[in-house]
Amino acid sequence: MRTDGKSAGLAHEDAAALGGGRTGEVCAKTVAQGNDESEAACYNDAHRVNDGIASAFNWLDSKTIVTAAGSVSQADAGTIVTGEGGTTNAAGQGMTIWLTGLSGAGKSTIASLLTDRLNKLGIAAEWLDGDELRRILGKGLGFSREDRFENIRRAVYLAEMLNRHGVVAVVSLISPYTEMRDYARQTLPRFAEVYVDCPLEVCEARDVKGLYAKARRGEIPSFTGISDPYEVPPSPELTLNTAGQTPEENVNTLIAWLTEHTSLRLNK
Ligand SMILES: Nc1ncnc2c1ncn2[C@@H]1O[C@H](COP(=O)(O)OS(=O)(=O)O)[C@@H](OP(=O)(O)O)[C@H]1O
Ligand SMILES: Nc1ncnc2c1ncn2[C@@H]1O[C@H](COP(=O)(O)OP(=O)(O)O)[C@@H](O)[C@H]1O
């Protein structure tokens, strides 16, 4: 895939090159073997990747020129842009809201609600979730420190691409190491680290996916909080306590923070 800003499209093989599930080698094989059902699944996965990334390009304003060669040029910063979904962003509003915390802390719940709220407020926002990213783009990645870092690198790559076109990226990844989150902070243009704080005992009692029980039985090695570290962020932009508050209260706190500290137009 081109990363020089000259190409606005993502071809099927580009999605595959990102390393996603059936979009990689397996796809090449199934397509070659002419297996219709698997082939359709491959293309669906590739298109999901395409949709996620290409949605960044839905927010280009009316002054944006899309050339026959597929290159784009963005109009002046501050212009209101309208996408198919009816959301609007001003160029230069792209930022990343990075939710970090233990499994079961509430990252996905908050990220999903926040993305919805932003979209309803007319802000183009995309949710990049750990589980989903790993399913589509995480081919071969486990949970060693190196693999987690690679996972974060891929998420940062996508977030940067979305940000470049004014889209707010809402990222929910455990991202357990300070070094990894600092990499994201240094790489992304506008970045807010949100610590989704919940005591391990509460996460374990929730055990949304039954993974803590498995980890305690020794069936999942290197499980964050049980047999692998989680480094509490030393200075996040915001901490949300999910043990004592509802998801809606947490999202209201986040929206209030964004209103005060960013240029997002949230008072509509
Ligand atoms: N060993 C181990 N440790 C932690 N989590 C595990 C593990 N194995 C599987 N899972 C499931 O994978 C989800 C975490 O993926 P992430 O991509 O967010 O992790 S990381 O940022 O790369 O550390 C995590 O999802 P969430 O519960 O939504 O956080 C778990 O469902
Ligand atoms: N304030 C809160 N914020 C987020 N989730 C909460 C909150 N209070 C209770 N929960 C519950 O905790 C669970 C969190 O699960 P999830 O969002 O998948 O966590 P994570 O993505 O961090 O693994 C959900 O069942 C959710 O309903």
Side-chain angles (χ1 to χ4, degrees), residues 101-110 129 131 172 174 196 206 208-209 241-248 250:
L102 292 170
S103 175
K107 302 177 300 296
S108 309
T109 304
I110 292 172
D129 182 52
D131 281 338
S172 52
I174 294 180
V196 181
R206 287 177 182 164
V208 184
K209 302 170 190 162
N241 182 320
T242 69
Q245 292 188 296
T246 65
E248 289 72 21
N250 291 139

Side-chain angles (χ1 to χ4, degrees), residues 29-40:
K29 225 182 267 171
T30 35
V31 171
Q33 287 164 353
N35 176 338
D36 285 350
E37 214 172 287
S38 307
E39 188 176 334

Side-chain angles (χ1 to χ4, degrees), residues 26-191:
V26 180
C27 267
K29 225 182 267 171
T30 35
V31 171
Q33 287 164 353
N35 176 338
D36 285 350
E37 214 172 287
S38 307
E39 188 176 334
C42 288
Y43 279 97
N44 282 342
D45 276 4
H47 286 137
R48 281 179 67 86
V49 175
N50 270 336
D51 286 350
I53 298 171
S55 64
F57 301 102
N58 285 340
W59 320 113
L60 299 175
D61 71 9
S62 57
K63 289 182 193 166
T64 299
I65 300 151
V66 182
T67 71
S71 65
V72 296
S73 67
Q74 188 79 35
D76 52 307
T79 306
I80 299 293
V81 296
T82 305
E84 276 171 15
T87 54
T88 60
N89 268 19
Q93 277 198 151
M95 69 167 295
T96 299
I97 300 161
W98 191 283
L99 303 170
T100 171
L102 292 170
S103 175
K107 302 177 300 296
S108 309
T109 304
I110 292 172
S112 164
L113 279 174
L114 175 67
T115 308
D116 266 14
R117 280 277 294 277
L118 291 175
N119 287 161
K120 284 186 182 125
L121 287 165
I123 302 293
E126 284 288 338
W127 172 26
L128 302 178
D129 182 52
D131 281 338
E132 195 68 358
L133 284 178
R134 276 179 175 271
R135 192 177 69 78
I136 298 177
L137 302 176
K139 189 182 174 205
L141 291 184
F143 289 89
S144 65
R145 185 186 170 103
E146 294 69 33
D147 282 2
R148 289 180 196 260
F149 214 136
E150 180 56 29
N151 186 39
I152 270 111
R153 256 189 225 105
R154 293 177 190 183
V156 167
Y157 177 85
L158 290 179
E160 200 278 331
M161 198 181 275
L162 291 165
N163 289 176
R164 210 186 307 149
H165 297 281
V167 179
V168 174
V170 180
V171 179
S172 52
L173 291 175
I174 294 180
S175 39
Y177 296 100
T178 305
E179 188 190 357
M180 295 171 184
R181 299 185 301 258
D182 284 349
Y183 163 77
R185 178 184 293 284
Q186 281 149 22
T187 310
L188 293 162
R190 280 167 294 277
F191 182 83

Side-chain angles (χ1 to χ4, degrees), residues 211-233:
L211 297 178
Y212 280 99
K214 283 190 181 163
R216 287 290 184 198
R217 292 198 297 269
E219 292 166 19
I220 306 179
S222 310
F223 194 80
T224 306
I226 304 292
S227 46
D228 220 41
Y230 178 80
E231 296 173 0
V232 171

